[in-house]
Amino acid sequence: MPTLMLQEPPLPQPVTWLPQTMGFLVLAVIVLLWLSIYGYRFWRNRHRRLALRDLARLESQLLHSRAKTMTQLLMLLKTTACKVSGSKQVFTFNDAAWLTFLQQSAPDVFSPSDARLLVELPYRSEVELQKLPLAQMLGLIGKAYIWIGTHRVV
């Protein structure tokens, strides 16, 4: 009979999942702020990631067609510059204005001779490009990697 006299103990109140202290709220605000800043930077630099991926593809094509690769390299740099500046005016730059833009957006990446060569290469024939050392063209692509990674809006 003693087991019949046992009663069920009362259940405790359900535990709330909301933070009980101010520290958790401050931590949540800090984490949200950090995530929003990191997300904005990630979103803002998406053009760099895409350009670097395209540049890697161009580098692998260099042995097959130098003229096509150099033309695409110049277009890739101008497209990247256009996305950064937010203006389609970059596409209309003549050679001198484009060289000035390259120098101002990332100083010390392209030397004046490298920048001049970068502008002239797409207009050379495949035969003329075959005479140029492959190391020189790979050097231009390497400097394009640096420019894409470091350029700033002018």
Side-chain angles (χ1 to χ4, degrees):
M1 188 99 177
T3 54
L4 294 176
M5 297 177 77
L6 291 177
Q7 292 183 354
E8 189 80 27
L11 294 176
Q13 294 293 326
V15 177
T16 178
W17 288 96
L18 294 176
Q20 298 296 316
T21 62
M22 191 61 143
F24 283 112
L25 294 175
V26 170
L27 180 64
V29 168
I30 290 172
V31 167
L32 286 174
L33 183 64
W34 181 81
L35 284 174
S36 63
I37 290 171
Y38 179 76
Y40 175 72
R41 286 183 180 170
F42 186 79
W43 174 78
R44 188 182 64 194
N45 286 321
R46 71 194 180 286
H47 73 281
R48 291 181 200 268
R49 290 188 304 278
L50 295 173
L52 290 172
R53 185 192 66 202
D54 291 343
L55 191 56
R57 182 183 49 79
L58 284 178
E59 188 175 15
S60 66
Q61 290 178 354
L62 185 60
L63 294 175
H64 303 295
S65 172
R66 290 184 178 189
K68 181 180 176 184
T69 302
M70 289 297 114
T71 302
Q72 289 177 346
L73 175 63
L74 186 61
M75 288 305 299
L76 176 65
L77 291 176
K78 282 195 172 190
T79 303
T80 303
C82 182
K83 288 178 182 175
V84 164
S85 67
S87 168
K88 303 269 187 234
Q89 183 182 7
V90 174
F91 281 116
T92 63
F93 284 167
N94 61 13
D95 293 346
W98 174 241
L99 294 176
T100 303
F101 180 84
L102 281 177
Q103 294 297 326
Q104 288 177 348
S105 60
D108 303 326
V109 174
F110 290 107
S111 67
S113 61
D114 286 337
R116 174 64 54 197
L117 183 62
L118 181 67
V119 170
E120 292 174 358
L121 282 178
Y123 302 109
R124 293 187 181 180
S125 68
E126 189 71 37
V127 175
E128 291 176 6
L129 290 175
Q130 291 297 334
K131 293 177 185 175
L132 286 175
L134 184 61
Q136 189 175 15
M137 294 183 147
L138 287 173
L140 282 177
I141 290 177
K143 290 180 180 187
Y145 273 111
I146 295 170
W147 183 84
I148 290 171
T150 61
H151 69 272
R152 299 285 173 244
V153 178
V154 188

